[in-house]
């Protein structure tokens, strides 16, 4: 019995120890579970707080971004209003500005800008069509009434001829001078009208281009306002989504905390899993993906801006090269024009010099000295100096003989001198004088006949008597009296009074004949010959002037034809360049349309993805409700 009792006591003790150990284990496990639950709750609470803080920070950033976008929108609107006021002040009508508010007006303006000069991105051909409140063209009558226009009023000395009415040459010269003045004034007035019309057209083009640029500037500001408004709407939508997400996050956290306090069951576990999925969607992972998408868009926009900047820089360089080429071509054309004008001026001066020369050697020497002084070079470098004259025996007599020979060549046919003397040489004339025969006497009588005319010897009593007694036997005395009265002939006249004319020396005969020739120049017959030669010279000069004018007109016609050919070539080149630019514009629009189509497809894919996610979330929400 004692043994049985002891065994029973030991079993009881072991059972009590086991119970005590089991109770301690259970208490420790319960305490650990509670500590784990508290730790998990604290971790979950901190995670929820972090999620709330992150959402609040995103809300603050979104609010700041909204404020910045609204400020940007206000600035864009202010810039738009300032651009519109500037355009209206420059003369642009409100109708053109109102068209920019419609889609059709914008497209029409963009198409117009693509074919307009002076506008950024525009083509070089065409002209901007902008309705200005001011403008207009001046007529020729308005231009001719301007103070700077050359006047048609003739000077006082050209209104009335004040010279001798009987002097036909001076009268004709005065009439030619008046006609030349009128033609010159007419040309100057025509040039002035052409010049002013060109200036008016250029001013109108500049005003149109300036107005077109102002409208383009208004269009840019309108686009900026639209972009700013779109940015504000986007940020407002993003802010509204963040606020909605914050409310959903709070509701989800509260509901999960409530479920966590209830008894753990299968349906509670499923609900908690659904809530965790929802929190995962509302957590930073989705925001990080959105941030990544935003960063990708920012990188794309930066790359686009970089490409645009590069394109603008290349375009600016092309425009600079184009302007430089245009300036070089203009300079080349101007140099060519100046060269042609210089050639014309040289030809004109050469023709004037040809018409002016020959002149006396002393005048020619004076001209050479003036040219040498102007050029700063010695006179000897311009021409070879004239040789010094060599004195010769009877040099004065030779000169008188040459003058007499020239007189006979010019007036011999009119005076009916003996045959052969009208075209003889100096040697033949000297042979006639040395022969002192009938031919020489006939020459004296031929020169004496015009010398006895009233216009040559006068109306005195002696002159009439000389004309009456002039015969074969008395003509030497008549010659002497005429020479003495006119103080001509010098030694020849004195020799005729001292001895018979057959005994005169050759020099005395030459002087006497030379004196008679001088007296005969005053006769009517010889004066008519001189006047005829002057008129022929005037006609020849007029013919040469007309020939020169005809050459100038022909040259101008040739130059005009060449100018028209160059103009047609330039117009053809301009049309080709316009066609190329139009083709490029169509290609750009096609590429832009293709890009828009790709963006539309991406938008459709994104909408489908959002719809799928919404359907998935709706399915999960329905499952959660069913589980509840």
């Amino acid at each position: 019995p004692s043994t049985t009792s002891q065994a029973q006591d030991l079993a009881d003790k072991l059972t009590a120890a086991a119970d005590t150990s089991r109770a301690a284990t259970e208490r420790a496990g319960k305490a650990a579970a509670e500590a784990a639950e508290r730790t998990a709750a604290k971790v979950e609470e901190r995670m929820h707080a972090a999620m709330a803080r992150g959402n609040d920070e995103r809300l603050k950033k979104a609010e700041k971004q909204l404020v910045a976008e609204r400020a940007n929108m206000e600035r864009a609107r202010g810039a738009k209003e300032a651009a519109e006021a500037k355009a209206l002040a420059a003369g642009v009508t409100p109708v053109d500005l109102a068209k920019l508010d419609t889609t059709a007006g914008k497209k029409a303006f963009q198409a117009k800008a693509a074919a307009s000069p002076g506008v950024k991105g525009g083509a070089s051909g065409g002209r901007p069509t902008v309705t200005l409140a001011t403008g207009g063209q001046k007529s020729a009558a308005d231009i001719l009434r301007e103070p700077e226009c050359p006047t048609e009023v003739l000077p006082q000395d050209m209104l009335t001829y004040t010279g001798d009415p009987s002097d036909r040459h001076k009268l004709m010269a005065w009439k030619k001078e008046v006609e030349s003045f009128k033609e010159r004034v007419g040309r100057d007035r025509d040039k002035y009208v052409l010049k002013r019309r060109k200036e008016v057209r250029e001013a109108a083009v500049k005003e149109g281009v300036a107005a077109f640029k102002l409208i383009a500037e208004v269009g840019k500001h309108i686009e900026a306002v639209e972009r700013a408004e779109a940015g504000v709407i986007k940020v407002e939508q993003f802010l509204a989504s963040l606020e909605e997400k914050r409310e959903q996050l709070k509701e989800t956290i509260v509901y999960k905390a409530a479920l966590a306090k209830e008894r753990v069951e299968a349906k509670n576990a499923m609900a908690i899993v659904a809530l965790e999925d929802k929190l995962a969607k509302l957590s930073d992972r989705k925001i990080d993906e959105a941030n990544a998408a935003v960063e990708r868009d920012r990188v794309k926009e930066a790359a686009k801006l970089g490409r645009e900047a590069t394109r603008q820089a290349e375009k600016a360089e092309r425009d600079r090269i184009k302007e430089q080429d245009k300036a070089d071509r203009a300079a080349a054309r101007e140099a060519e024009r100046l060269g042609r004008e210089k050639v014309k001026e040289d030809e004109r001066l050469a023709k004037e010099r040809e018409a002016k020369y020959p002149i006396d050697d002393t005048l020619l020497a004076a001209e050479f000295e003036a040219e040498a002084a102007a050029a700063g070079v010695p006179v000897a470098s311009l021409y070879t100096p004239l040789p010094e004259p060599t004195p010769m025996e009877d040099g004065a007599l030779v000169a008188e003989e040459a003058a007499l020979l020239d007189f006979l060549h010019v007036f011999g046919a009119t005076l009916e001198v003996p045959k052969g003397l009208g075209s003889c040489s100096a040697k033949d004339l000297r042979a006639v004088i040395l022969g002192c025969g009938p031919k020489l006497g006939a020459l004296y009588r031929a020169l004496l006949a015009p010398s006895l005319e009233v216009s040559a010897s006068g109306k005195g009593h002696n002159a009439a008597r000389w004309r009456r007694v002039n015969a074969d036997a008395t003509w030497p005395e008549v010659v002497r009296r005429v020479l003495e009265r006119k103080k001509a002939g010098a030694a020849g006249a004195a020799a005729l009074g001292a001895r018979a004319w057959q005994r005169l020396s050759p020099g005395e005969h030459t002087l006497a004949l030379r004196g008679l020739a001088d007296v005969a120049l005053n006769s009517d017959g010889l004066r008519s010959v001189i006047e005829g030669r002057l008129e022929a010279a005037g006609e020849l000069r007029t013919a040469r002037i007309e020939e020169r004018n005809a050459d100038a007109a022909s040259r101008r016609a040739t130059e005009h034809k060449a100018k028209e050919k160059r103009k047609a070539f330039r117009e053809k080149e301009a049309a080709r360049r316009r066609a190329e630019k139009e083709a490029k514009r169509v290609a750009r629009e096609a590429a832009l349309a293709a890009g828009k189509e790709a963006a539309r497809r991406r938008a459709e894919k994104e909408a489908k993805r959002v719809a799928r996610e919404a359907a998935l979330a709706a399915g999960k929400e329905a499952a959660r409700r069913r589980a509840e």
Side-chain angles (χ1 to χ4, degrees):
S2 59
T3 304
T4 303
S5 166
Q6 292 176 355
Q8 187 64 36
D9 292 335
L10 180 60
D12 294 333
K13 290 180 180 178
L14 289 173
T15 301
D19 293 333
T20 303
S21 175
R22 186 170 55 254
T25 301
E26 290 175 356
R27 287 193 301 272
K30 187 178 181 180
E34 292 176 353
E37 288 178 358
R38 288 193 299 271
T39 302
K42 289 181 180 179
V43 170
E44 190 171 2
E45 184 179 359
R46 286 196 298 270
M47 183 182 69
H48 292 167
M51 291 172 64
R53 284 195 304 271
N55 196 64
D56 292 337
E57 290 176 358
R58 287 192 293 275
L59 278 171
K60 291 180 181 179
K61 290 182 180 178
E63 290 174 353
K64 290 182 179 179
Q65 187 176 2
L66 179 60
V67 172
E69 290 292 336
R70 286 177 177 171
N72 186 26
M73 183 177 65
E74 294 299 326
R75 286 195 299 271
R77 287 177 178 174
K80 173 195 168 186
E81 293 175 355
E84 288 178 348
K86 184 177 179 181
L88 291 174
V92 178
T93 59
V95 176
D96 286 326
L97 297 180
K99 290 179 182 178
L100 296 177
D101 293 333
T102 62
T103 304
K106 290 180 182 178
K107 290 183 179 180
F109 181 79
Q110 290 173 358
K112 191 182 298 181
S116 299
V119 179
K120 188 176 182 181
S124 62
R127 179 173 294 175
T129 56
V130 178
T131 304
L132 293 177
T134 59
Q137 295 291 335
K138 276 193 173 184
S139 64
D142 294 336
I143 294 175
L144 290 175
R145 283 195 294 268
E146 292 179 355
E148 294 82 4
C149 180
T151 179
E152 289 181 311
V153 179
L154 294 175
Q156 190 64 31
D157 57 346
M158 292 188 180
L159 293 175
T160 306
Y161 177 65
T162 57
D164 186 7
S166 62
D167 194 339
R168 184 169 57 86
H169 296 288
K170 288 187 178 181
L171 179 60
M172 295 304 295
W174 177 81
K175 289 183 178 180
K176 289 183 178 179
E177 183 180 1
V178 173
E179 292 297 327
S180 175
F181 180 84
K182 289 182 179 179
E183 292 177 357
R184 184 169 67 255
V185 170
R187 290 194 298 271
D188 293 342
R189 289 169 67 85
D190 293 341
K191 290 180 181 178
Y192 182 81
V193 169
L194 294 176
K195 175 183 175 184
R196 289 291 295 131
R197 282 182 172 172
K198 182 178 179 183
E199 292 174 353
V200 170
R201 287 197 298 270
E202 291 176 351
V205 169
K206 289 181 180 178
E207 290 177 0
V209 171
F212 202 80
K213 289 182 178 179
L214 291 175
I215 293 181
E217 191 70 17
V218 173
K220 290 180 182 178
H221 288 301
I222 289 176
E223 293 177 358
V225 169
E226 292 176 353
R227 289 196 298 271
E229 291 175 350
V232 170
I233 294 173
K234 184 177 179 181
V235 173
E236 288 177 349
Q237 293 176 353
F238 180 68
L239 185 60
S241 66
L242 285 180
E243 291 177 351
E244 182 181 0
K245 191 179 293 184
R246 182 178 62 179
E247 297 299 327
Q248 291 179 2
L249 185 61
K250 287 181 180 180
E251 293 176 359
T252 303
I253 291 173
V254 171
Y255 188 70
K256 183 180 178 183
L259 286 178
K261 292 179 181 180
E262 295 179 358
R263 187 174 56 182
V264 179
E265 294 178 356
K267 62 178 183 179
N268 292 345
M270 291 178 63
I272 289 173
V273 170
L275 290 174
E276 287 178 352
D277 291 338
K278 187 175 182 180
L279 287 174
K281 290 182 179 180
L282 297 173
S283 65
D284 291 337
R285 283 178 292 177
K286 291 293 182 182
I287 301 300
D288 291 339
E289 292 177 2
N291 291 334
V294 171
E295 182 64 20
R296 287 195 300 273
D297 292 340
R298 189 190 64 79
V299 172
K300 288 181 180 178
E301 186 67 20
K304 181 179 178 181
L305 292 176
R307 291 193 299 272
E308 181 66 17
T310 303
R311 188 182 68 81
Q312 293 294 337
E314 292 176 353
K315 182 179 180 300
E317 181 64 18
R318 289 196 300 271
D319 293 341
R320 187 191 65 79
I321 294 174
K322 186 186 297 182
E323 292 297 328
Q324 183 64 32
D325 293 341
K326 187 185 295 183
D328 294 341
R329 290 194 297 271
R333 289 195 299 271
E334 183 65 17
E336 184 180 357
R337 184 185 66 81
L338 293 176
R340 290 196 302 269
E341 290 183 355
K342 185 177 183 303
V343 171
K344 292 179 183 178
E345 185 66 18
D346 293 342
E347 291 178 355
R348 185 183 65 80
L349 294 176
K351 289 183 178 180
E352 288 183 357
R353 285 195 295 270
E354 289 176 1
K356 176 182 178 181
Y357 296 108
I359 60 176
D360 190 75
D361 291 343
T362 56
L363 297 178
L364 183 63
E367 287 189 0
F368 275 121
E369 290 176 358
E371 292 181 7
V377 296
V379 180
S381 62
L382 298 179
Y383 76 108
T384 304
L386 297 175
E388 292 293 334
T390 303
M392 61 178 295
E393 186 177 359
D394 296 333
L397 185 60
V398 171
E400 294 293 338
E401 188 176 290
L404 177 61
L405 182 65
D406 184 62
F407 176 83
L408 293 176
H409 284 175
V410 175
F411 303 104
T414 304
L415 298 176
E416 297 181 358
V417 298
K419 185 177 180 180
L421 292 180
S423 59
C424 66
S425 62
K427 184 177 181 181
D428 296 336
L429 178 61
R430 180 167 294 184
V432 171
I433 294 173
L434 290 174
C436 198
K439 202 169 187 178
L440 180 59
L443 179 59
Y444 270 106
R445 297 290 299 275
L447 296 181
L448 179 60
S451 300
L452 291 176
E453 293 180 4
V454 175
S455 57
S457 59
K459 298 180 180 180
H461 178 72
N462 293 331
R465 187 174 57 186
W466 295 338
R467 286 190 288 273
R468 286 196 306 271
V469 300
N470 183 24
D472 292 339
T474 59
W475 67 262
E477 182 61 21
V478 174
V479 168
R480 184 183 69 80
R481 296 294 182 90
V482 170
L483 292 179
E484 286 181 352
R485 180 172 179 175
K486 293 297 182 179
K487 298 181 180 179
L496 284 173
R499 52 186 177 276
W501 69 274
Q502 295 87 348
R503 299 177 60 187
L504 267 62
S505 66
E508 292 170 343
H509 279 299
T510 302
L511 292 175
L513 291 171
R514 178 75 172 84
L516 282 177
D518 290 341
V519 175
L521 284 175
N522 293 320
S523 63
D524 294 334
L526 271 61
R527 279 185 175 275
S528 64
V529 173
I530 294 173
E531 289 178 358
R533 291 175 65 88
L534 289 176
E535 290 179 358
E539 292 176 357
L540 178 61
R541 182 164 56 252
T542 303
R544 294 179 65 180
I545 293 173
E546 291 177 352
E547 181 182 0
R548 183 165 64 249
N549 293 337
D551 292 341
S554 175
R555 186 166 57 251
R556 285 195 298 271
T558 304
E559 292 176 356
H560 180 70
K561 188 179 295 184
K563 183 178 179 181
E564 290 297 327
K565 288 184 180 180
R566 292 194 298 270
K567 183 178 179 181
F569 177 76
R570 288 197 297 270
E571 291 178 352
K572 183 178 178 181
E573 286 296 313
R576 181 183 62 78
R577 289 195 294 270
R578 286 197 297 271
E580 291 179 354
K581 290 188 177 180
E582 182 65 18
K584 291 180 181 178
R585 184 186 64 79
V586 172
R588 285 198 302 271
E589 291 181 355
L592 182 61
K596 289 182 178 179
E597 182 65 22
R600 185 185 62 78
R601 289 196 294 269
R602 287 196 298 271
E604 290 179 355
K605 288 183 180 180
E606 183 66 19
K608 290 179 180 178
R609 183 185 64 78
V610 172
R612 286 197 301 272
E613 291 182 355
L616 182 61
K620 288 184 179 181
E621 182 65 21
R624 181 184 65 78
R625 286 197 296 270
R626 285 195 300 272
E628 290 177 354

